[in-house]
Amino acid sequence: MSIKSLLGRYGFLFIIAGFILFFASFNPVFLQGGNLMNIVAGSAILLIVALGMTLIVATGGIDLSVGIALDFGAAFAVVAMKEYGINWYGAALIGIGGGSIVGLLNAFLTVGLNISPFLATLGTFFIGSSVQRIFTNGGGPISYRGMPQEFRDLAVGEVYGIPTEIVIAGVICLIYFIVLERSIIGRRIHAIGMQRSAAIVAGLKVNKYLIWSFVAASMTVAVGGLIAAANIRMFTPLSGFSYLLDAIAAVFIGAALHPRGRPNVLGTLVAVLFLGIVTNGLNLMGLNFNVKGAMSGIILVSALALAVAQSKQR
Amino acid sequence: MSDAILVMKDITKTFPGVLALDKASLSVLPGEIHGLVGENGAGKSTIIKVLAGVYQAQGGSLSVNNTLISSVTPQAIHDAGVRFIHQELHLVPHFSVAESVFMGQELTGPFGLLRKQMRIRSEEFLRKTLDVKIDGNTLIRDLGTAERKLVQIARALIDNQARLVVFDEPTAPLASGEVGKLLAAIRRLKERGIAMIYVSHYLSEITNICDRVTVFRNGQTVAVFNEIKKDSAGALIEAMVGREIKNLYPKNSHSPSSPAIQAKNLGDGKSFHDVSFTLHSGEVVGIAGLIGSGRAELIDTLYGLRQATSGEIWLNNKTIQLSSPADAVTRGMVLVPRDRRHDGLVLGMSVSENVNLGSLKDVSKMGIEMRAMALARAAKQIKDLDIRPPNPSMIARLLSGGNQQKTVLGRWLTTNAKVFLLDEPTVGVDVGAKVEIYQLVETLAQNGAGVLLSSSDPGELIGLCDRILVMMRGRITHEIDTDGLSIDRLVAMTTGATGSSVTRNKSVGAANE
Amino acid sequence: MSKAKNFLTLSRIIDAAPLVIFLGMLIYIGFNAPNFMKFSTMQLVLNQSVPVVVVCLGLSIVVMAGGDGVLSGGIDLSIPATAVLSAGIIAQQLAQADAPLWLAIVLAFAAAAIVGLINGLMVTRIGMTPLLTSLATFVAVVGVSKLVTSSRRINVDDPFIVFLRDGNIFGISAGVFITLILVLMFYFLIHRTKWGINMQAVGGSRDAAEMSGINPSYYQMWAFVLAALTGFLASFFILARGSGSSPGTEDNLMLEMVLATFLGAAFSPRRVVTLWGAVLGAVLVAALSIGFKTMGVNVFWTGLIKGSLILVVVALGALSVKVKA
């Protein structure tokens, strides 16, 4: 196997290894077990959001409103507990239900009204952001210090010594892998995303899959919102937006890693961990906040370009 | 033949693992229309691309007008006066005719584009050289396919430098009525002394307009016909295939039983009206008609891709409502669409994935796909239908037209479909694969399936079908038995050259001959 | 036959609906907020819309050169980030580094050109989709501009910038006048030159352009560079409007740019992105924002209204395609 084809296939993994070595040489703490666990835990919410995005991109669309689903998940759960005294799992279910509103709206706009996913979810984003501002009178957080410990444990608890958020993200990741990569549902979704018209003629119930994909994705992302709310014991309006670009980048880096360029769960997982490593490594280097922002932006662009360039090599 | 305008000699071209051209030759005389025929993969398009400078040949020589061209680049070939009319239309839908004709060669003055002059010159060229009147401000998307083709030709010839024009399958997207318009324009070009290479699968066109014909097979020049007559088609086929094909069409012996699908006064309010017919199990029924006759829309409506506004569709003696193709498929009615690259196959997926797409439940347990089962099923279809290369993991995009079509058919053969709607199943398919598809249609009917075949090839309709429905302007104008039906008469009926009275009696067709 | 006629008129009504809805809303505002119809308010609307108009020129060019499929066609979301970076560089140079105006301008121009080149190279050389490319550069450029300004607001009182805000040329405010000139220049470039029509050909059908000897990559590359330069140009108006640079301007500008440009496509009879459509879209969106403000509508509602608006207009576009089919 020539060096070129070796780089073509595993080039991105070499890049990740290079970053790990680089960060480790700056600060030995980077490689310690506790820190590695931090990286994974810190990536949990992004992974959940990126998985929802993977599903939508696999259907051939894009979702600019994932942040809204995340905010709604957090808001509905916090309000349910704080204002209505609902117990923790009831609140979690209500949060997930709140997130599904976003998916339902997207499904209605794209499938019902035939609007392109980019513009439809952009509209949802505008509306969802505005609703949050109206509801919170301009964007003030809704804090709930007295949140039940069980709910709080979604973010800070442990299951057999593993942080709960990792367990939740891991389970969702496994479900997504089975459904999207191993089941006939996933096979159909990929067919719809790659060539909608051919999927219709093949007799697939395209609209049904599109609607359910939007709803399922928004419910998934809302789980990320629950963890975020549990973590800081409050709902911060419009905070979901910050995950959008990272999630999109993760999905497309992941797709570039796939031999046929399809969006896929494992690729997304690798890309999210890569982004987590970069964030964590830059933090440990003790850089100025602004320098860190600029560097992680530049690394994101370079990583995407490299991943795509590498996939074209094949 | 030193007076030839183009001489390509001993051209050799290899791709990794494939010898695409093996010392192939092609020579064209001034002012002639030179046909180039061969099956898919015979090397026609490869030698055209070598001529265009897109592919670099490994051996051989190329001279235009007795001048040897040592480095064959697109620019050098263009400068030598060779122009290409590609199969695809390659026009911008929202550009005007004038903008399209002058695309890449715009006329400019000190104050920018000379829009008026470009419009006048393009209108003049279309009128004088091609004998059509088209307003230079019309948008491309408002033109018919034949007119678009003429615009494409005008673009290649507007600079008056062309000495040799290469037409690659120019009539492929056209309806039979429009073909005449294009052929007339080509004849006018010949009168102006321009030499032409005419590449086509349609042998009737080749025998109709070509002066000489070169036949390719397996990358080699196997025959050059210096004289072409109306009845040369048989000899051409023999040279192309390398064996004599006595019967393109299988012997049909059908025994129609109960009605499979019935249309009762079906209409969509726009493209077709008041359509009634019955297709029985074990029967092949054809639909003939020009583009715009409502044929395509009728097929789409029967499959649930479009919605009817009046009338009923009956399947197996029960009236049904189809809101989408999924409803049709679950009821055992399937479609092989006319645009297989767009609607038939998921081009980025493998042969196996495409074959199993319509029946994924059968290769799964508890919703999880069993890959070994899926591959085995694909392998069976590949073997039964002789899909080449025999590799279930091959990406569908990379298959030839015939093999793509067989993959679409293979998908439906794995289901228990009882009614097959075939829409232009052999467009862009080479002769060998055509014969195989015809045999398959026959086998389907013998096994009791009902086949509705919509086609613009009259020979195919008469050869395969028991009956033919002729559509014109959205209505069925004739329903005719194929026994003793001649091609001429069928063409006359589709173009409305016979009376418009509805012939319902099955034996009328035979009696009139 | 009468049915066909009905369809025609129905599709015509739907075609005109986006513009009618907009004008209707403006008239409604005019009746309910008497101040709105004043000349000064109109001036304010135009002044407000200037930065959006300029970046819309850039986005229209990229869409025209890349085709109007949002996912696979041409789009450049990074223009507003480039504008904010450029504004940041100018402000930082003038206010903190005491550099002369020309040096600040040269540096900002260079930065914008680099962003455009990076976008263009990633799209034409590496083959990334423009949406993905420009989302990524958006993030990176915002990061860099925060580094330049240390995420702080920087005031600018340079006379040139002040002139753009307060000055007048032939009785029209300077910013509006200069923008008008810019629009005309871009119009000439796109619709009146061989270069422009070839660039449109690339977006209309890449294959057709290639067959006609037009090099698509060359035009796509230039489209991204030009787009980044509109970001550079817009930065002056951003500085003038805000009397300096402030972080976080880019998010809102990006959303307004996309809203205005695609609204513009809904206004155009061919339903494609055009220069005039984008300009009209930008002005109307600004008119609505200010109109609602003068009516005393809670500012939190504007996002909801804008979001619903784009959805209604785009849905009408989809409907009109359906009716015509």
Side-chain angles (χ1 to χ4, degrees):
Chain A
M1 192 183 269
S2 71
I3 290 185
K4 197 173 176 185
S5 68
L6 206 68
L7 279 176
R9 195 161 302 175
Y10 302 109
F12 200 77
L13 296 180
F14 287 137
I15 294 168
I16 296 181
F19 268 105
I20 291 175
L21 283 177
F22 176 76
F23 290 132
S25 69
F26 257 89
N27 193 336
V29 175
F30 181 78
L31 277 183
Q32 282 170 14
N35 187 53
L36 293 181
M37 193 68 107
N38 276 345
I39 293 176
V40 180
S43 305
I45 296 178
L46 177 59
L47 177 61
I48 292 170
V49 177
L51 285 171
M53 185 69 82
T54 307
L55 176 59
I56 300 301
V57 176
T59 65
I62 195 157
D63 188 352
L64 302 183
S65 65
V66 279
I68 303 297
L70 188 131
D71 294 336
F72 274 32
F76 275 69
V78 168
V79 171
M81 287 184 290
K82 186 176 181 181
E83 307 291 332
Y84 300 96
I86 292 170
N87 62 23
W88 73 274
Y89 57 85
L93 288 178
I94 288 171
I96 295 171
S100 74
I101 296 172
V102 178
L104 283 169
L105 179 59
N106 287 333
F108 168 71
L109 295 170
T110 51
V111 178
L113 298 183
N114 212 6
I115 301 176
S116 80
F118 178 87
L119 293 174
T121 55
L122 183 67
T124 305
F125 169 77
F126 269 111
I127 294 172
S129 305
S130 189
V131 165
Q132 291 181 46
R133 284 208 184 88
I134 296 164
F135 188 75
T136 59
N137 216 350
I142 302 176
S143 145
Y144 183 40
R145 297 258 146 214
M147 128 184 329
Q149 188 57 39
E150 292 93 335
F151 192 87
R152 180 114 171 82
D153 279 344
L154 290 178
V156 298
E158 284 184 353
V159 180
Y160 299 115
I162 304 170
T164 322
E165 51 191 331
I166 295 181
V167 174
I168 295 174
V171 168
I172 293 177
C173 193
L174 186 66
I175 295 172
Y176 264 72
F177 178 77
I178 291 171
V179 171
L180 212 48
E181 316 297 344
R182 287 286 176 268
S183 81
I184 58 175
I185 294 174
R187 186 68 76 196
R188 289 176 181 143
I189 287 174
H190 280 300
I192 291 168
M194 292 167 88
Q195 212 168 319
R196 171 102 63 106
S197 57
I200 292 172
V201 170
L204 305 190
K205 296 185 172 105
V206 171
N207 286 348
K208 186 182 93 176
Y209 283 102
L210 289 177
I211 292 169
W212 276 108
S213 294
F214 269 113
V215 173
S218 64
M219 288 167 74
T220 308
V221 174
V223 174
L226 300 181
I227 297 174
N231 202 7
I232 51 174
R233 282 184 284 182
M234 64 167 85
F235 157 61
T236 324
L238 310 175
S239 58
F241 181 70
S242 60
Y243 293 98
L244 174 64
L245 297 170
D246 282 350
I248 293 177
V251 171
F252 283 94
I253 291 175
L257 298 178
H258 186 274
R260 290 187 193 159
R262 295 181 194 174
N264 68 101
V265 171
L266 288 181
T268 300
L269 175 63
V270 170
V272 165
L273 289 178
F274 168 72
L275 296 176
I277 286 169
V278 170
T279 312
N280 177 280
L282 289 175
N283 276 337
L284 286 185
M285 284 171 75
L287 296 173
N288 166 297
F289 172 77
N290 292 315
V291 177
K292 219 167 61 194
M295 282 195 57
S296 67
I298 290 166
I299 290 172
L300 183 83
V301 172
S302 320
L304 253 176
L306 276 168
V308 175
Q310 173 209 331
S311 76
K312 303 267 152 144
Q313 286 276 318
R314 286 193 284 259
Chain B
M1 259 189 261
S2 60
D3 56 342
I5 185 160
L6 171 74
V7 179
M8 295 178 82
K9 226 176 135 186
D10 294 339
I11 303 286
T12 300
K13 172 74 192 168
T14 56
F15 294 107
V18 188
L19 183 60
L21 287 177
D22 182 9
K23 298 203 167 183
S25 314
L26 177 65
S27 92
V28 181
L29 299 173
E32 74 166 347
I33 304 182
H34 191 103
L36 179 58
V37 297
E39 291 192 85
N40 283 347
K44 285 174 305 184
S45 43
T46 312
I47 200 164
I48 295 298
K49 282 184 175 146
V50 169
L51 173 58
V54 177
Y55 291 162
Q56 296 304 317
Q58 276 97 1
S61 64
L62 190 163
S63 50
V64 180
N65 227 16
N66 284 326
T67 316
L68 185 75
I69 297 183
S70 47
S71 102
V72 186
T73 61
Q75 192 57 46
I77 288 296
H78 189 268
D79 293 345
V82 183
R83 299 287 183 273
F84 296 86
I85 310 295
H86 295 276
Q87 182 174 357
E88 294 83 16
L89 281 162
H90 290 315
L91 294 166
V92 180
H94 59 261
F95 268 36
S96 73
V97 167
E99 283 169 347
S100 305
V101 167
F102 281 95
M103 184 185 285
Q105 46 193 353
E106 291 84 357
L107 306 176
T108 49
F111 301 105
L113 294 170
L114 302 170
R115 287 179 173 275
K116 193 175 170 198
Q117 205 176 325
M118 291 198 287
R119 180 172 61 81
I120 292 170
R121 274 193 52 190
S122 55
E123 283 173 2
E124 195 180 75
F125 185 89
L126 284 164
R127 196 177 62 239
K128 285 195 178 153
T129 313
L130 300 176
D131 199 25
V132 282
K133 216 168 168 285
I134 301 175
D135 184 342
N137 283 336
T138 320
L139 296 187
I140 293 296
R141 64 169 171 217
D142 297 331
L143 293 180
T145 324
E147 276 106 10
R148 291 184 198 193
K149 203 80 209 176
L150 294 174
V151 168
Q152 194 186 2
I153 294 172
R155 178 164 79 201
L157 302 178
I158 190 82
D159 61 359
N160 280 322
Q161 303 294 314
R163 317 174 66 112
L164 173 67
V165 182
V166 181
F167 288 91
D168 189 5
E169 296 280 356
T171 58
L174 303 186
S176 47
E178 296 179 311
V179 170
K181 215 187 226 175
L182 183 70
L183 295 187
I186 288 176
R187 284 207 186 88
R188 280 185 75 93
L189 288 178
K190 188 186 164 188
E191 283 165 24
R192 296 171 70 94
I194 296 174
M196 279 166 273
I197 295 177
Y198 194 92
V199 184
S200 180
H201 278 301
Y202 294 92
L203 295 179
S204 59
E205 292 166 15
I206 296 281
T207 55
N208 190 347
I209 65 163
C210 292
D211 303 303
R212 300 195 311 138
V213 173
T214 296
V215 183
F216 270 36
R217 188 172 73 230
N218 295 333
Q220 294 174 318
T221 308
V222 292
V224 178
F225 289 71
N226 284 319
E227 198 181 356
I228 290 293
K229 291 190 287 267
K230 284 270 177 204
D231 56 359
S232 302
L236 285 174
I237 292 178
E238 202 180 321
M240 282 161 64
V241 185
R243 59 181 194 275
E244 198 180 348
I245 293 191
K246 279 235 170 58
N247 293 312
L248 229 55
Y249 307 105
K251 186 111 193 85
N252 74 15
S253 52
H254 304 157
S255 43
S257 55
S258 57
I261 184 166
Q262 288 163 282
K264 299 189 172 175
N265 305 104
L266 201 62
D268 73 344
K270 272 201 287 196
S271 309
F272 62 94
H273 317 275
D274 202 19
V275 167
S276 301
F277 68 88
T278 303
L279 166 72
H280 300 88
S281 301
E283 186 185 33
V284 184
V285 170
I287 307 182
L290 303 176
I291 286 183
S293 62
R295 185 156 63 89
E297 290 81 359
L298 172 62
I299 294 278
D300 287 355
T301 307
L302 290 174
Y303 194 55
L305 280 165
R306 293 168 68 99
Q307 297 305 312
T309 53
S310 60
E312 293 175 342
I313 302 170
W314 288 54
L315 195 70
N316 302 325
N317 287 318
K318 271 179 286 191
T319 175
I320 54 168
Q321 295 293 328
L322 300 172
S323 60
S324 75
D327 296 341
V329 173
T330 47
R331 291 180 168 88
M333 177 160 62
V334 298
L335 170 75
V336 175
R338 55 190 166 276
D339 186 349
R340 64 175 160 265
R341 296 183 68 82
H342 192 247
D343 303 324
L345 292 170
V346 181
L347 291 174
M349 283 188 152
S350 67
V351 171
S352 168
E353 285 174 301
N354 272 294
V355 164
N356 288 300
L357 194 57
S359 52
L360 279 168
K361 276 204 180 118
D362 301 343
V363 291
S364 65
K365 285 187 181 134
M366 293 163 61
I368 302 301
E369 188 183 17
M370 301 286 118
R371 296 203 165 173
M373 271 163 83
L375 283 174
R377 257 161 64 117
K380 179 176 184 314
Q381 291 305 324
I382 287 171
K383 187 161 164 286
D384 289 356
L385 301 174
D386 191 23
I387 295 172
R388 276 168 288 179
N391 173 8
S393 306
M394 185 89 172
I395 299 297
R397 187 192 311 282
L398 305 174
L399 296 177
S400 75
N403 287 308
Q404 286 181 340
Q405 196 67 299
K406 287 191 219 166
T407 305
V408 179
L409 280 160
R411 173 195 300 156
W412 297 132
L413 295 178
T414 61
T415 66
N416 292 321
K418 282 289 160 211
V419 179
F420 286 77
L421 311 173
L422 310 183
D423 197 354
E424 303 285 6
T426 60
V427 162
V429 170
D430 64 62
V431 177
K434 254 184 197 172
V435 173
E436 290 169 15
I437 291 173
Y438 292 154
Q439 184 56 52
L440 190 64
V441 170
E442 178 60 24
T443 312
L444 283 173
Q446 279 173 9
N447 293 343
V451 181
L452 192 63
L453 171 72
S454 170
S455 173
S456 48
D457 181 347
E460 172 174 305
L461 286 168
I462 294 174
L464 285 179
C465 301
D466 299 295
R467 280 179 296 137
I468 295 172
L469 313 166
V470 180
M471 287 186 76
M472 209 169 94
R473 300 213 171 86
R475 293 176 193 279
I476 294 184
T477 53
H478 300 80
E479 178 172 347
I480 194 159
D481 203 289
T482 52
D483 273 344
L485 178 64
S486 73
I487 287 186
D488 290 352
R489 184 162 159 70
L490 179 58
V491 171
M493 284 190 285
T494 51
T495 53
T498 61
S500 62
S501 68
V502 178
T503 337
R504 282 283 178 191
N505 188 336
K506 278 195 171 191
S507 59
V508 166
N512 279 1
E513 287 304 320
Chain C
M1 225 43 238
S2 70
K3 214 165 200 176
K5 252 183 192 162
N6 278 340
F7 267 106
L8 254 186
T9 44
L10 178 60
S11 80
R12 246 182 231 155
I13 291 169
I14 295 170
D15 271 356
L19 211 49
V20 171
I21 291 173
F22 255 87
L23 295 179
M25 285 177 83
L26 289 180
I27 291 168
Y28 174 80
I29 293 169
F31 274 112
N32 287 278
N35 282 333
F36 184 67
M37 287 300 188
K38 278 185 186 159
F39 179 72
S40 59
T41 317
M42 294 295 165
Q43 276 261 351
L44 184 65
V45 165
L46 289 177
N47 276 332
Q48 277 294 316
S49 66
V50 156
V52 185
V53 167
V54 175
V55 290
C56 278
L57 294 176
L59 181 58
S60 319
I61 286 183
V62 172
V63 174
M64 277 188 243
D68 51 4
V70 176
L71 284 185
S72 55
I75 193 163
D76 185 353
L77 301 178
S78 70
I79 306 171
T82 310
V84 169
L85 170 65
S86 166
I89 290 175
I90 295 173
Q92 195 269 342
Q93 286 294 314
L94 291 179
Q96 293 173 356
D98 282 327
L101 183 65
W102 68 265
L103 180 63
I105 290 177
V106 167
L107 287 174
F109 180 88
I114 288 171
V115 177
L117 281 171
I118 290 174
N119 278 330
L121 285 175
M122 295 216 291
V123 170
T124 59
R125 291 295 152 103
I126 298 180
M128 285 169 68
T129 59
L131 178 67
L132 187 57
T133 304
S134 61
L135 267 176
T137 43
F138 182 92
V139 179
V141 171
V142 168
V144 172
S145 62
K146 281 185 178 152
L147 185 60
V148 170
T149 62
S150 309
S151 305
R152 284 199 197 92
R153 191 190 144 70
I154 306 175
N155 288 319
V156 171
D157 52 4
D158 185 90
F160 176 63
I161 302 293
V162 174
F163 171 72
L164 283 181
R165 188 187 62 198
D166 299 336
N168 276 298
I169 303 175
F170 303 128
I172 309 171
S173 87
V176 175
F177 184 84
I178 292 170
T179 304
L180 190 66
I181 305 263
L182 277 176
V183 172
L184 289 174
M185 277 168 59
F186 273 93
Y187 171 78
F188 184 81
L189 178 70
I190 298 303
H191 291 285
R192 289 285 147 191
T193 67
K194 184 181 164 87
W195 191 91
I197 200 114
N198 284 348
M199 195 200 75
Q200 289 187 57
V202 170
S205 163
R206 206 185 155 84
D207 292 335
E210 220 159 7
M211 293 289 159
S212 309
I214 299 168
N215 178 1
S217 299
Y218 165 85
Y219 286 96
Q220 265 194 313
M221 183 83 212
W222 269 107
F224 279 107
V225 173
L226 275 178
L229 292 184
T230 61
F232 160 74
L233 293 170
S235 67
F236 293 97
F237 302 117
I238 291 173
L239 288 170
R241 186 168 75 176
S243 302
S245 87
S246 38
T249 324
E250 63 277 350
D251 288 350
N252 202 33
L253 189 59
M254 191 242 268
L255 297 173
E256 296 223 317
M257 171 185 80
V258 172
L259 178 66
T261 308
F262 286 94
L263 271 183
F267 295 147
S268 99
R270 295 184 191 180
R271 300 261 167 219
V272 290
V273 169
T274 60
L275 276 186
W276 292 121
V279 171
L280 185 64
V283 173
L284 287 181
V285 169
L288 272 191
S289 300
I290 290 173
F292 284 127
K293 219 178 273 173
T294 51
M295 263 177 74
V297 173
N298 185 330
V299 65
F300 308 144
W301 282 85
T302 43
L304 188 82
I305 294 165
K306 280 186 200 166
S308 313
L309 209 64
I310 189 168
L311 291 176
V312 168
V313 169
V314 176
L316 282 168
L319 186 65
S320 110
V321 172
K322 226 177 196 173
V323 167
K324 279 176 187 166

